[in-house]
Amino acid sequence: MIGTDAKVFVAGHRGMVGSAIVRALLARSVHPVTISRGECDLTDREAVDTFFARERPTHVFLAAAKVGGILANDTQGADFIRENLMIQTNVIDAAYRLGAQKLLFLGSSCIYPKHAEQPMREDCLLTGPLEPTNLPYAIAKIAGATMCDAYRRQYGFDAFTVMPSNVYGIGDNFDPQASHVVAGLMRRFHEAKLKAEPEVVAWGSGSPMRELVDADDLADACVFLMENYSEGGLINAGTSQEISIKALTELMAEVTGYEGRITWDLSKPDGTPRKIMENSRLHALGWQPKTTIRAGLEKMYAWFQETDGKRPAA
Ligand code: GDP
């Protein structure tokens, strides 16, 4: 359990996953420390050290990262590798040196090999070539996961990596160029409905399969693991709820109330053909997701309509 004397730091509290972790902690009466980018730029080692020396967090959720959908990853690889390497190196190292007991690092299912056997087990990491569209991001995340393991082996630091599948939900990024598939489609279907447009264009062929996890479910899994897990390596945190991109567009049309046509822009990349996690380790520990894809999309769409997809200020 995260005790009452614990000081919990959520790095990346404005992001979709970080903000969901904050909500999950508050629901358990744990009040985490957070810090805005203006006060502490996590790519700045000195600023991170100063923050850790002042606050001395005991438990760290490292959910801060530069993330983006297939297009952003494909076109801004330099930013993805630089920022992620800097943030994770600074935070993991400061947490260890300045006395944290435990650190949870958020990985990503895209760091597994492109053609990994499905469902993907934790031990398929580094067994084959990666998906080229997000290689720089994946290499950075692999470095972070390796760093957690190396700090555990060399220094006895209780750091481990949680591997979410494709996350969506409240606080998602709806920027048309940077968004992942769920948020990207939700905005386009919503706008097409409002303007009574005859068609919505989705990317790729529609045949790829993705496993989706609602951000609140993932956050719940993260808090559960912080309390119940202390091993090296990776642990998958998926739902085993798989959907094709084509079926997702159809569900999105239903959830948003859009009645026009759906067409496919084949000039956009499909990315990995199938990405589903093998979740038996997490499920055997006693954790299960609570949200179906339809319920998750409905919750997200309600939030999107209320906020226009804008996160509250830091
Ligand atoms: P990935 O899981 O890393 O490939 O990231 P995405 O969530 O960005 O894309 C998943 C799949 O959805 C890919 O096959 C995309 O081509 C497809 N897709 C269809 N429409 C969209 C869209 O509007 N935005 C995004 N990002 N992907 C889309």
Side-chain angles (χ1 to χ4, degrees):
M1 289 295 131
I2 299 175
T4 44
D5 52 344
K7 189 159 196 184
V8 180
F9 171 44
V10 179
H13 71 288
R14 290 201 65 219
M16 171 172 53
V17 176
S19 61
I21 292 173
V22 170
R23 286 195 296 278
L25 289 166
L26 291 175
R28 290 164 173 79
S29 302
V30 175
H31 292 262
V33 183
T34 57
I35 189 149
S36 70
R37 188 174 297 193
E39 284 170 277
C40 176
D41 176 352
L42 297 176
T43 65
D44 176 346
R45 181 182 159 103
E46 232 179 272
V48 173
D49 276 6
T50 305
F51 168 73
F52 270 82
R54 188 180 76 224
E55 296 291 340
R56 298 275 168 178
T58 56
H59 295 70
V60 178
F61 289 89
L62 178 40
K66 180 173 174 63
V67 298
I70 195 164
L71 196 64
N73 264 283
D74 206 18
T75 52
Q76 299 162 34
D79 298 346
F80 276 87
I81 192 164
R82 183 190 60 251
E83 283 187 35
N84 285 310
L85 282 174
M86 290 172 91
I87 292 171
Q88 68 206 29
T89 302
N90 291 341
V91 174
I92 295 168
D93 188 53
Y96 161 65
R97 277 186 292 106
L98 294 162
Q101 292 163 23
K102 196 160 180 174
L103 180 142
L104 181 157
F105 175 60
L106 258 302
S108 160
S109 60
C110 75
I111 80 177
Y112 287 135
K114 174 169 181 151
H115 297 294
E117 192 184 320
Q118 304 285 328
M120 298 183 289
R121 288 160 35 129
E122 287 88 350
D123 60 10
C124 76
L125 187 74
L126 293 172
T127 57
L130 300 166
E131 157 62 36
T133 52
N134 54 29
L135 184 73
Y137 174 79
I139 297 272
K141 285 284 178 186
I142 292 171
T146 307
M147 195 166 162
C148 288
D149 272 350
Y151 273 58
R152 175 180 294 275
R153 275 199 303 277
Q154 187 175 344
Y155 302 134
F157 181 41
D158 190 358
F160 64 95
T161 302
V162 174
M163 299 285 288
S165 40
N166 282 45
V167 195
Y168 70 96
I170 291 175
D172 212 334
N173 177 357
F174 288 85
D175 176 313
Q177 296 305 309
S179 54
H180 282 96
V181 59
V182 176
L185 291 176
M186 185 168 283
R187 180 180 282 287
R188 287 216 299 291
F189 276 92
H190 175 71
E191 288 173 355
K193 182 185 72 173
L194 295 186
K195 296 183 198 147
E197 284 169 1
E199 77 171 17
V200 164
V201 181
W203 298 355
S205 67
S207 66
M209 304 291 294
R210 292 290 182 269
E211 176 185 13
L212 299 181
V213 57
D214 171 72
D216 287 315
D217 274 354
L218 174 63
D220 190 63
C222 287
V223 175
F224 174 86
L225 286 167
M226 184 62 100
E227 293 187 326
N228 294 289
Y229 186 79
S230 281
E231 284 174 43
L234 314 171
I235 181 153
N236 289 346
T239 55
S240 306
Q241 294 178 350
E242 192 180 22
I243 187 166
S244 73
I245 300 302
K246 181 164 186 297
L248 177 65
T249 58
E250 286 158 8
L251 190 52
M252 192 65 83
E254 275 181 45
V255 168
T256 56
Y258 175 73
E259 289 175 349
R261 275 193 313 278
I262 301 167
T263 55
W264 297 91
D265 176 357
L266 296 174
S267 72
K268 293 282 196 311
D270 265 348
T272 303
R274 185 174 183 224
K275 251 198 291 187
I276 179 160
M277 310 270 240
E278 209 283 318
N279 297 301
S280 57
R281 287 183 70 204
L282 175 61
H283 296 179
L285 289 171
W287 184 87
Q288 288 291 337
K290 297 186 185 73
T291 315
T292 61
I293 295 177
R294 178 184 288 274
L297 292 180
E298 284 169 351
K299 176 176 69 173
M300 181 175 169
Y301 189 49
W303 176 82
F304 175 73
Q305 286 177 292
E306 232 169 74
T307 60
D308 195 30
K310 292 192 182 67
R311 297 165 180 169

